[in-house]
Amino acid sequence: MSDRILVPYDGSPPAKKALEYAFEKFTDPDVTALYVVPVPDGYREAFVETDDRVPIADEEGGRTILEEAADIATERGRELTTELDTGEPNHVIVERAENEEYDTIVIGSHGRAGVSRLLLGSVAENVVRRATVPVVVVR
């Protein structure tokens, strides 16, 4: 099956299911969990210093979420690479998959609850529409 799997991971139940699915359904994959700190288009240009571009709390929260993903992998006796990036989540996910030659994206159908759930649900939809690699959407 696929050798390199990218799993966008935000700590939500669908993201956890997507990570578990990647471990269960793909034979001996190289799995990467990617957390994207949402940064709207144009936000970065407002700052001169790169250190000021992303709130540190968002990065720290992302690292904590990725630690949870690593714990899931450990519980299943699997290896997991974790990465943190910033930007428009659907753009970053699609670009990462294409530029870093992932074979498949495994993504949860919706993200966090409430209003964010609607937005992150649209991330999955946009990834499906724009990706140049196969996308598995897990419910």
Side-chain angles (χ1 to χ4, degrees):
M1 291 202 99
S2 297
D3 294 321
R4 298 192 72 217
I5 310 295
L6 180 63
V7 180
Y9 192 83
D10 65 358
S12 67
K16 290 177 184 178
K17 287 181 182 178
L19 184 60
E20 292 167 352
Y21 181 93
F23 290 137
E24 291 171 14
K25 299 295 182 183
F26 293 92
T27 308
D28 217 16
D30 174 10
V31 179
T32 299
L34 172 65
Y35 181 85
V36 181
V37 177
V39 178
D41 283 338
Y43 178 85
R44 293 172 187 257
E45 290 77 22
F47 299 95
V48 176
E49 297 294 324
T50 58
D51 292 341
D52 295 335
R53 291 184 180 172
V54 178
I56 292 173
D58 290 344
E59 285 188 8
E60 289 172 1
R63 290 186 212 302
T64 300
I65 288 169
L66 288 172
E67 287 173 12
E68 294 170 7
D71 290 343
I72 291 170
T74 300
E75 289 170 6
R76 285 163 180 68
R78 304 297 291 269
E79 290 188 26
L80 178 70
T81 302
T82 59
E83 296 184 7
L84 184 126
D85 205 341
T86 60
E88 289 284 341
N90 59 3
H91 293 266
V92 172
I93 294 163
V94 169
E95 288 171 9
R96 281 284 188 110
E98 188 174 309
N99 294 340
E100 297 180 20
E101 299 180 2
Y102 284 93
D103 299 302
T104 305
I105 299 169
V106 178
I107 189 168
S109 59
H110 292 286
R112 298 196 179 274
V115 175
S116 294
R117 180 177 179 184
L118 295 174
L119 295 173
L120 291 173
S122 67
V123 169
E125 179 182 348
N126 285 323
V127 168
V128 168
R129 290 176 189 251
R130 297 182 59 235
T132 58
V133 301
V135 179
V136 176
V137 179
V138 178
R139 291 182 180 246

